[in-house]
Amino acid sequence: MRLLILGGTAFLGRATARAALERGHQVTCLARGTSGQVADGADLVVGDRADTRGYADLVGDFDAVVDVARQPRHVRTALDALTMRVDRWLFVSTINVYADVSPSAVDADESAPLLPAWDGEEWAPEQYGAGKVTCESLVAQAFPSSHLIARAGLLGGPEDVSDRTGYWPLRFAHPSRADGRVLVPHSPDAQVQLIDVRDLARWLVVSAESGTTGVFNANGPSVPLHAAIAAARGVAAHTDELVPVPPEWLAAHGVSPWMGERSLPLWVPWPDLAGMMTVDTTAAQRAGLTVRPLPETFIDALAWELQAGPGRARKAGLSPADEADLITQRLSEPA
Ligand SMILES: NC(=O)c1ccc[n+]([C@@H]2O[C@H](COP(=O)([O-])OP(=O)(O)OC[C@H]3O[C@@H](n4cnc5c(N)ncnc54)[C@H](OP(=O)(O)O)[C@@H]3O)[C@@H](O)[C@H]2O)c1
């Protein structure tokens, strides 16, 4: 297969290129080259998707495209340039396209209502999900019987540029305090649902090979948050004390859920966002999506974190000094 990845210099695009190369395909990536390197063995064609001429250096036809765009105008420029030269289009979307992520959306499948579509020229990150709704429909219109839309959940594993999945095994492997205590959210009912980037990548490639079409929630199983944290702890062989703190305590101390600076990654406010962590993945499983056990994701995420340097600045989580200080504050409170 001749596979074109629109992207390929970041987390999922690079993993998809690796999966395709492992399966003997020829891989071309189109990107500006500012996010990182492409996988060894893939060709990089430098182009800017903001520009209609950004695809001018691509040569020949392709059996399939894997597109990771976030912006409708990037999808539009690509479709204008490439529709006649491609057999199938696989678009990586997100579960953020769904209008309802409240508890009433638990176990919702792909037929659940979507956000109103957003189609602005200037990129606005807060329009991420609504922009993906537009991207999906542009692809579906251009490839009515040969598109695949993968609505991905949280991506995890090695090279996670959001720094979320590596936080937990790394913190357990390198606690911030000499007594080894680790601060964890106490949210007993909370669930988390993530997919190892390599499992999604492989499924995209296999689907491109087989010509699988349709719209799929592409995610792993929904598991209790405490079980996910326990899996990360087990991988790091951490046996010191946990310091569980309720969501209200974290909010009062300026610690955010989910992602970003001063956060505790993977934890979402519960049950308010329960729909986000419990999407139905039956259709994708029927279409061949298989996922590895969570500990494997954490083992490899930890290995990558250790290689990247445990002391590096992170985009998600608590810094060791901050976490140590929060634990001291918690322990000094009356029981
Ligand atoms: N991370 C998650 O947890 C999560 C969850 C749900 C869904 N998703 C979806 O999964 C996908 C993740 O893809 P990813 O990790 O490979 O990429 P990404 O982090 O979204 O990066 C975007 C890719 O597109 C390229 N790109 C951006 N602007 C460009 C431009 N103007 N012209 C040409 N190329 C451009 C970037 O390369 P250059 O900067 O080098 O140009 C990079 O390779 C996205 O579709 C995301 O929406 C992610």
Side-chain angles (χ1 to χ4, degrees):
M1 204 169 53
R2 259 201 107 202
L3 180 68
L4 172 62
I5 298 178
L6 296 175
T9 54
F11 191 32
L12 175 63
R14 193 183 305 117
T16 306
R18 283 195 192 115
L21 290 162
E22 274 166 25
R23 295 176 68 82
H25 303 303
Q26 194 183 330
V27 179
T28 303
C29 302
L30 182 127
R32 295 162 304 178
T34 53
S35 292
Q37 309 281 321
V38 294
D40 286 345
D43 294 326
L44 173 65
V45 172
V46 175
D48 186 348
R49 303 182 64 180
D51 186 337
T52 49
R53 291 158 305 173
Y55 308 85
D57 291 337
L58 282 174
V59 177
D61 296 343
F62 297 92
D63 298 295
V65 161
V66 172
D67 185 359
V68 300
R70 288 162 191 256
Q71 307 189 35
R73 71 173 177 148
H74 288 179
V75 174
R76 206 171 263 117
T77 55
L79 291 169
D80 287 349
L82 299 169
T83 298
M84 303 306 289
R85 293 161 55 185
V86 171
D87 290 343
R88 311 185 262 298
W89 203 280
L90 292 84
F91 181 71
V92 180
S93 187
T94 167
I95 55 159
N96 291 66
V97 293
Y98 293 116
D100 184 8
V101 289
S102 76
S104 57
V106 165
D107 290 335
D109 67 15
E110 293 80 355
S111 64
L114 303 183
L115 291 168
W118 175 87
D119 195 5
E121 267 300 299
E122 287 308 311
W123 176 230
E126 65 279 8
Q127 299 293 351
Y128 173 56
K132 286 279 197 182
V133 174
T134 303
C135 296
E136 288 188 6
S137 71
L138 290 170
V139 170
Q141 280 162 34
F143 288 84
S145 57
S146 50
H147 67 273
L148 181 150
I149 308 284
R151 291 180 182 152
L154 172 65
L155 303 179
E159 301 183 11
D160 177 2
V161 282
S162 76
D163 289 337
R164 282 175 285 185
T165 36
Y167 175 79
W168 288 109
L170 181 65
R171 179 46 45 86
F172 286 120
H174 286 270
S176 62
R177 294 163 51 105
D179 62 13
R181 287 185 168 105
V182 172
L183 191 78
V184 296
H186 179 66
S187 184
D189 299 327
Q191 299 272 123
V192 63
Q193 191 173 23
L194 66 88
I195 182 165
D196 190 298
V197 70
R198 297 162 294 179
D199 296 330
L200 176 56
R202 184 177 184 283
W203 181 66
L204 288 169
V205 173
V206 171
S207 299
E209 289 168 4
S210 62
T212 301
T213 58
V215 181
F216 302 94
N217 290 332
N219 213 343
S222 180
V223 298
L225 176 66
H226 60 78
I229 290 177
R233 190 175 181 222
V235 155
H238 178 268
T239 52
D240 292 316
E241 229 180 278
L242 299 180
V243 182
V245 281
E248 307 73 45
W249 191 93
L250 290 166
H253 289 78
V255 179
S256 308
W258 192 234
M259 66 188 292
E261 278 178 34
R262 277 208 110 220
S263 65
L264 283 182
L266 311 192
W267 153 58
V268 296
W270 204 266
D272 312 21
L273 300 180
M276 212 176 124
M277 291 288 115
T278 51
V279 297
D280 181 349
T281 58
T282 309
Q285 288 170 44
R286 288 200 181 119
L289 176 65
T290 55
V291 296
R292 72 196 65 208
L294 200 46
E296 246 186 67
T297 300
F298 284 133
I299 288 169
D300 296 340
L302 175 59
W304 179 75
E305 290 283 356
L306 294 174
Q307 199 187 338
R312 73 190 170 88
R314 307 184 63 84
K315 291 188 198 140
L318 296 171
S319 72
D322 199 6
E323 195 220 19
D325 184 49
L326 286 164
I327 292 173
T328 303
Q329 288 183 51
R330 179 65 178 172
L331 296 178
S332 68
E333 289 171 0

